[in-house]
Amino acid sequence: MEAKNNWMKARIAPAEIEKYLRADGTDFVDDAEILRLLAPAGEPEAAQVREIVAKAQAVQALSQAELATLMRVRDPELWAEMRAAAGAIKRKVYDNRIVTFAPLYLSSKCVNDCAYCGLRRSNPAVERRVLTMDEVRAETEALAGQLGHKRLIVVYGEHPESDVDYIAESIRTVYSVKVQTRKGIGQIRRVNVNAAPLRVDELKILHGCGLGTFQVFQETYDRRAYARLHPAGTIKSDFRWRLTAMHRAQEAGIDDNGIGALYGLSDWRFELLGQQAHALEMERFCGIGPHTLSFPRLEPAVNTPFLENPEWRVSDDDFERIVTLARLAVPYAGLIVTARESPEMRRRLLPLGVTQMDAASNVGVGAYADGQEKQKGERQQFILGDPRGLDECIREWAAAGCITSFCTAGYRCGRTGKCIMDLLRSGAEGKFCKLNAILTFKEWLDDFATPETQAVGEALLQKELDEVRRTQPKIWPAFSANVARIVAGERDLYF
Ligand code: SAM
Ligand code: SF4
């Protein structure tokens, strides 16, 4: 117990908060300014709205004031234009690709007591477990070998048993797994992490392990709500330790970072403006905005009374607004909508600029290797809304004209951080990524798809190949040779 208390006391390094504050001791979330921006009620002028949307279409992040103006739009026609622009921006920056991944929960022990979370320490209804490295290996084999995933987000509770050494060892273990598939070798090629905020020295360790994106959600940018939901005395109760997590990540050399708010904890309009302040602060601090924005929305969890009737629950219509506005507000960022959302909701959000969706997800600790198909509340943090398998999701996305990308080539060629942001803004990354997306899609179809999905996927693939032949004639000979090599059984080819 004493060791645990000492560990908790040493978690927060005050000097690693203070150095990122302004000269007057304030942080970048200016509550009074956000409330001032939210105060006007009237409909904005259509011309002003169109001017702001044009800025987004030029792939420039919006100011908080511009975003607040878009939030005031009520006119259905203007909203239709904004939705269309959101979809167009996504196609311009990311083309018709959807990147897919799976969450992998490695530990459910946690010293914090967040009111909304099934894993909070005061919840006796959840079984606690920290996977051994053999178990991590078994989970990875199931994800890479049976399902064909190439990217994971590994998730941890905050606890001395899942400290930075554990996180580092588990990342290395995931990367080390190679498993035979129908035609080739299944392997995870990018491990992203969602964990509690860490110190710079700890983040350097993770950077050295080949960590992909480092993701920390602020949960709520509203400090009063934050204080109510995260009991004083817990590590998580320190709002600014969390708010500066990405500054430290950048300082440690991790330049792909993911931010988000847990929608439903406070007024969504405040959250979205807080999230925008965060994105702009990241641009200001290091010239690189967020790599991804996430939109977790509150889901039910076992024995968690807070979730029964949360005051700020976000409706489906408002959630659609949030995703549209975020697409316009940070046009270059990846937008992640997870399987927390129902299939129907994910279908609604797909055309609005979503770039990443997980599939075949299971958030139970140890659940993939157990072949656990049904969700078990007592094993997990919350209950998912979309339990569908990867094959079914990929078939649906392909039928909607989206190619599922398993590509990780950009990262392996050093296209991260500022480099990838510049390429995304200019539209050049889309070209590389499209070619690699096609190659990895073909690999996955050959190795994992059911005949039904193969038929839908191959029809889309044919269209894509025709487009490359037509639009990129110089690249076509080398590219089509790679496609032929994949058909012949070679794997992991990329541009
Ligand atoms: N324990 C670490 C932390 O809190 O930073 C790692 C992340 S936690 C396991 C993953 C994320 O799940 C949290 O940041 C939170 O946004 C989200 N989450 C927690 N409870 C949730 C719920 N009831 N519904 C949906 N998402 C939830
Ligand atoms: Fe722990 Fe994270 Fe859940 Fe909070 S959200 S109780 S820190 S696992």
Side-chain angles (χ1 to χ4, degrees):
M1 191 66 188
E2 198 186 326
K4 188 166 152 191
N5 285 342
N6 289 340
W7 181 84
M8 282 171 61
K9 272 191 210 134
R11 288 306 312 135
I12 297 176
E16 294 190 17
I17 300 174
E18 281 150 25
K19 66 189 286 196
Y20 307 118
L21 300 180
R22 301 199 170 127
D24 63 359
T26 58
D27 57 54
F28 62 85
V29 180
D30 184 340
D31 303 11
E33 172 66 1
I34 294 180
L35 293 173
R36 193 186 65 75
L37 289 172
L38 288 176
E43 180 88 21
E45 291 288 327
Q48 190 191 4
V49 170
R50 291 194 178 110
E51 206 174 297
I52 297 170
V53 170
K55 180 177 173 187
Q57 283 177 310
V59 196
Q60 283 178 51
L62 303 184
S63 69
Q64 282 181 286
E66 288 164 335
L67 175 56
T69 302
L70 295 189
M71 282 178 178
R72 300 207 322 269
V73 172
R74 287 284 162 269
D75 176 39
E77 273 180 34
L78 270 183
W79 262 107
E81 281 180 38
M82 285 159 60
R83 274 198 292 271
I89 288 168
K90 191 276 173 165
R91 286 188 297 279
K92 177 175 177 178
V93 180
Y94 289 93
D95 213 319
N96 61 340
R97 289 175 293 125
I98 281 289
V99 164
T100 196
F101 65 96
L104 175 56
Y105 276 66
L106 298 188
S107 70
S108 49
K109 292 193 179 179
C110 191
V111 295
N112 294 310
D113 213 15
C114 314
Y116 45 82
C117 178
L119 302 186
R120 70 193 184 285
R121 72 178 181 211
S122 62
N123 187 3
V126 162
E127 292 165 13
R128 306 294 169 163
R129 193 169 165 192
V130 179
L131 295 189
T132 64
M133 289 308 133
D134 281 345
E135 289 169 330
V136 173
R137 226 166 273 125
E139 292 287 279
T140 311
E141 279 168 10
L143 283 160
Q146 288 157 30
L147 297 170
H149 272 297
K150 305 274 187 275
R151 292 177 182 236
L152 300 182
I153 178 127
V154 280
V155 188
Y156 310 81
E158 186 165 25
H159 194 272
E161 288 178 47
S162 55
D163 63 3
V164 70
D165 294 332
Y166 176 86
I167 297 176
E169 197 186 350
S170 55
I171 294 174
R172 284 193 287 263
T173 302
V174 169
Y175 278 133
S176 73
V177 171
K178 293 194 174 70
V179 51
Q180 188 64 43
T181 63
R182 216 191 287 170
K183 280 196 179 172
I185 299 290
Q187 192 179 4
I188 298 299
R189 298 178 190 153
R190 179 160 166 109
V191 182
N192 300 327
V193 165
N194 184 315
L198 296 169
R199 296 191 309 261
V200 175
D201 61 322
E202 296 172 324
L203 288 158
K204 281 185 181 162
I205 297 174
L206 299 192
H207 187 41
C209 298
L211 158 86
T213 306
F214 183 61
Q215 198 181 59
V216 175
F217 302 148
Q218 184 59 30
E219 318 299 14
T220 174
Y221 289 91
D222 170 350
R223 342 179 171 242
R224 274 179 303 176
Y226 193 96
R228 276 196 304 277
L229 296 162
H230 304 105
T234 58
I235 304 168
K236 189 128 169 193
S237 67
D238 195 319
F239 180 81
R240 283 179 169 174
W241 179 239
R242 212 164 173 86
L243 205 59
T244 48
M246 296 307 157
H247 295 74
R248 291 189 294 278
Q250 285 288 347
E251 210 144 293
I254 300 169
D255 48 13
D256 284 350
N257 293 300
I259 61 172
L262 178 53
Y263 283 88
L265 300 181
S266 181
D267 182 348
W268 68 263
R269 299 175 316 146
F270 193 102
E271 303 294 22
L272 201 52
L273 287 178
Q275 191 171 296
Q276 192 64 8
H278 204 164
L280 295 172
E281 166 70 5
M282 288 169 72
E283 283 194 6
R284 185 203 64 78
F285 176 67
C286 57
I288 308 171
H291 187 64
T292 53
L293 300 177
S294 291
F295 304 89
R297 183 163 61 147
L298 285 180
E299 290 297 320
V302 74
N303 190 36
T304 305
F306 172 82
L307 297 167
E308 280 158 24
N309 200 13
E311 185 187 352
W312 293 105
R313 185 187 292 285
V314 174
S315 71
D316 287 353
D317 287 348
D318 280 343
F319 199 59
E320 194 181 302
R321 284 191 189 100
I322 291 169
V323 172
T324 308
L325 288 163
R327 174 71 297 156
L328 296 170
V330 197
Y332 54 79
L335 293 197
I336 305 177
V337 171
T338 66
R340 288 177 178 85
E341 298 300 327
S342 66
E344 190 200 354
M345 198 62 209
R346 298 221 286 178
R347 251 170 244 138
R348 263 174 86 175
L349 299 174
L350 183 61
L352 300 176
V354 174
T355 65
Q356 296 195 26
M357 292 210 257
D358 54 333
S361 298
N362 201 321
V363 294
V365 178
Y368 293 111
D370 289 1
Q372 179 195 304
E373 285 187 2
K374 285 224 165 76
Q375 299 192 64
K376 289 189 180 157
E378 69 284 4
R379 259 178 105 165
Q380 57 199 57
Q381 188 188 20
F382 52 81
I383 307 295
L384 292 173
D386 185 355
R388 291 176 303 163
L390 186 55
D391 187 81
E392 191 180 342
C393 287
I394 289 184
R395 185 164 66 241
E396 179 175 300
W397 299 335
C402 290
I403 194 158
T404 304
S405 174
F406 292 88
C407 174
T408 53
Y411 310 115
R412 288 188 286 165
C413 300
R415 295 202 295 273
T416 63
K418 181 146 176 36
C419 170
I420 200 158
M421 283 298 163
D422 290 346
L423 289 167
L424 285 171
R425 281 175 216 249
S426 69
E429 179 66 8
K431 286 210 171 60
F432 276 114
C433 289
K434 183 60 171 283
L435 299 174
N436 288 324
I438 295 173
L439 296 178
T440 58
F441 188 48
K442 175 68 185 152
E443 267 191 29
W444 189 87
L445 288 175
D446 283 1
D447 287 354
F448 298 100
T450 57
E452 213 181 342
T453 300
Q454 188 129 29
V456 180
E458 288 289 346
L460 176 63
L461 208 60
Q462 204 45 57
K463 259 177 64 188
E464 301 292 337
L465 292 174
D466 289 346
E467 192 187 308
V468 177
R469 186 190 299 120
R470 217 170 6 89
T471 57
Q472 300 189 63
K474 283 200 185 130
I475 282 188
W476 174 250
F479 180 67
S480 55
N482 271 359
V483 176
R485 284 166 66 190
I486 288 175
V487 174
E490 273 190 67
R491 291 291 172 266
D492 203 15
L493 303 175
Y494 57 86
F495 276 83

